[in-house]
């Protein structure tokens, strides 16, 4: 029954949480095979309870036997501790708040070796030593420490992500791997997955939230650009981790057409549902769970995730850091209501994204611009967008939409493009718009579409610093994809013979920016090296604030912007578009 250290960890920590612990400390030696210790500040056990806990069929919480969901890995309730002590040496120290002294139980292979009073804090400290000491065949079945530790951490993540109110520490071979204070769900996700290279992981996640009489779905999904080869993907139901391939498809469908090749979105999705409508028995060991209403929940989940992504794409109100530029007001709440998909109502056959008639506010008064804005969800429909950040069809759609907009375009303050919108005016930041356009273009080039190069009449010599040289060598192929032509000369010198077509500033300054963007990882919103390169070059090549634009230039910029799936924000998450409504305008006159 006990398969590996990770299953022991799961049982022990779940017991701690069941016992009301607010602090859980985990100590591992040799990936749990020599020692797996869990210390909690829960309610502890009396002497009798402690003895009973290790006897088969001794327990347990039959008081809430209705909560069948608690039947999990070990198959039966109250089987975990007996199964563990059957294959290991266990030391238990435990005390309840009303007892002066606690109990120390020493056991090995189901035999009690000693029992005595002991001084110890309230709570439970259980050490599982020498796992499988009496079953060599099973001991040999264990994998390398690396693999077993990975399994342990996987289990640990599944537990801590759904118990943010409990603080955890995890130490492995004397090294403190995790120290997780009590937190909100989002903070917990951040604490678990932010690393030196990827700080503020959770800050970039989008909120998912849907409440229906059948099920509540809440959680976080990632921006399409944040998707990675190995993604963190979690479903939880009623406070427990589950696998659910069918619901996984719903999430993936929501991202269809928006992900670069080969990457997967991160998601953390928590379901709350009446326990009697789920069946945990289909797979006692595999954490798979059957929902009675899977068919109904599927479109709800799909719509909720789409809504999260769509809101991000269509709306500039995002809690990213603002850069130092003067901010134009972002859209009001009502505007947001108008541009995003309608709320999901509880109707199993209702899918807001495949039902144009159901789209909110498609009133006669809607201007071309509004339609253009709403068209976002159309372009994100799976059948419309085949792949990647940007597709031919998307370009066409953008061109078409922008051409339909008969709107006059004005440049104001030499940095914003102004046009009419249904309920006021729309402002587009010209530089950020261009950065977004170029970023998408460079990301395409980096995934192997050839770039346009502009030959330099007078090649420039570039001396790369010694410490940067290995990095530079590794970046050569990507720099070529971006449109740089570089001939290596001796001793870290390169001759720059060609540059990306749209680059007007000094190529060497642009190259140096790329090198430092890659090595310093300054922007937390950008995950991969490719993203950092693309963003850096886009920043170098994009038109500047202050640059005058002709009407034609503005129109082309707007067309290209609206062909970008993520046109409302620049690659770092700053707003590109803002809506100022009539109320805000009239307030200026009050
Ligand atoms: P179950 O959790 O299904 O009841 P276990 O074998 O995991 O079965 O645990 C047996 C019993 O031992 C529990 O019901 C609980 O009363 C007690 N117990 C186990 N771990 C703890 C703990 N950390 N703190 C307090 N009581 C515990
Ligand atoms: Mg248990």
């Amino acid at each position: 029954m006990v398969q590996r250290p990770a299953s022991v960890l799961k049982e022990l920590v779940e017991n701690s949480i069941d016992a009301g612990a607010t602090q859980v400390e985990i100590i591992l030696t040799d990936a749990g095979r020599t020692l797996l210790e869990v210390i909690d500040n829960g309610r502890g056990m009396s002497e009798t309870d402690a003895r009973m806990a290790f006897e088969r069929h001794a327990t347990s919480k039959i008081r809430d036997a209705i909560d069948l969901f608690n039947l999990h890995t070990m198959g039966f309730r109250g089987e975990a501790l007996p199964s563990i002590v059957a294959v290991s040496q266990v030391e238990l120290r435990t005390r309840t708040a009303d007892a002066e002294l606690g109990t120390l139980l020493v056991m090995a292979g189901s035999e009690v070796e000693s029992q005595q009073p002991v001084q110890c804090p309230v709570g439970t400290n259980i050490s599982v030593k020498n796992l499988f000491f009496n079953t060599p065949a099973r001991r040999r079945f264990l994998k390398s420490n690396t693999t077993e530790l990975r399994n342990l951490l996987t289990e640990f993540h599944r537990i801590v992500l759904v118990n943010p109110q409990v603080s955890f520490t995890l130490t492995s071979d004397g090294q403190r791997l995790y120290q997780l204070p009590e937190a909100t769900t989002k903070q917990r996700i951040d604490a678990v997955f932010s690393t030196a290279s990827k700080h503020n992981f959770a800050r970039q996640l989008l909120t998912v939230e849907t409440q229906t009489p059948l099920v509540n779905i809440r959680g976080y999904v990632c921006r399409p650009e944040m998707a990675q080869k190995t993604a963190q993907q979690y479903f939880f139901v009623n406070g427990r981790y589950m696998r659910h391939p069918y619901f996984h498809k719903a999430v993936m469908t929501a991202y269809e057409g928006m992900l670069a090749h080969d990457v997967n979105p991160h998601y953390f999705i928590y379901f709350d549902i009446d326990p009697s409508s789920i069946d945990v028995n289909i797979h006692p060991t595999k954490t798979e769970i059957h929902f009675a209403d899977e068919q109904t929940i599927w479109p709800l989940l799909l719509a909720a995730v789409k809504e999260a992504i769509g809101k991000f794409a269509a709306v500039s109100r995002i809690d990213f850091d603002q850069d130092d530029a003067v901010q134009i007001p972002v859209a009001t709440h009502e505007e947001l209501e108008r541009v995003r998909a309608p709320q999901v109502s509880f109707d199993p056959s209702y899918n807001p994204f495949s039902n144009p008639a159901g789209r909110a506010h498609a009133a006669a008064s809607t201007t071309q611009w509004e339609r253009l804005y709403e068209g976002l969800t159309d372009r994100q429909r799976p059948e419309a967008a085949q792949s990647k950040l940007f597709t031919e069809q998307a370009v066409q759609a953008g061109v078409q939409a922008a051409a339909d907009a008969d709107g006059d375009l004005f440049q104001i303050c030499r940095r914003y493009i102004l046009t009419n919108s249904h309920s006021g005016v729309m402002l587009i930041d010209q530089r950020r718009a261009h950065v977004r356009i170029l970023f998408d273009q460079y990301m395409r080039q980096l995934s192997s579409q050839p770039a346009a190069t502009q030959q330099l009449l007078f090649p420039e010599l570039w001396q790369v610093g010694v410490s940067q040289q290995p990095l530079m060598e590794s970046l050569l192929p990507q720099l070529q994809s971006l449109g740089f032509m570089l001939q290596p000369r001796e001793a870290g010198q390169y001759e720059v013979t060609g540059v990306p077509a749209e680059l007007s500033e000094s190529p060497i300054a642009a190259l140096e920016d790329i090198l430092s963007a890659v090595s310093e990882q300054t922007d937390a919103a950008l995950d991969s090296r490719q993203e950092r390169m693309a963003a850096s070059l886009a920043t170098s090549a994009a038109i500047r604030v202050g640059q005058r634009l002709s009407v034609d230039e503005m129109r082309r910029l707007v067309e290209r912007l609206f062909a970008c799936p993520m046109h409302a924000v620049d690659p770092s998450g700053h707003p590109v578009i803002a809506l100022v409504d009539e109320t805000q305008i009239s307030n200026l006159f009050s």
Side-chain angles (χ1 to χ4, degrees), residues 3 28 31 35 42 62 94 111 152 158 193 208 229 275 376 439 444 449 453 462 472 481 509 518:
Q3 295 136 328
L28 307 171
L35 173 70
I62 293 168
T94 186
E111 302 295 323
L152 282 159
R158 291 173 180 177
F193 296 111
V208 174
K229 274 215 177 65
L376 175 82
F439 175 81
R444 274 198 317 282
Q449 289 178 19
T453 293
W462 178 32
M472 177 55 205
S481 310
V518 170

Side-chain angles (χ1 to χ4, degrees), residues 10-12 14-15 18 61 72 74 77-81:
K10 175 180 196 294
E11 294 300 332
L12 296 185
E14 284 184 349
N15 282 348
D18 289 346
K61 285 154 267 166
H72 46 97
M74 295 298 176
R77 312 205 67 199
E79 286 280 289
L81 293 182

Side-chain angles (χ1 to χ4, degrees), residues 566-584:
M566 295 281 130
H567 56 242
V569 285
D570 76 7
S572 311
H574 303 122
V576 172
I577 294 166
L579 300 165
V580 185
D581 69 15
E582 201 180 334
T583 321
Q584 288 170 304

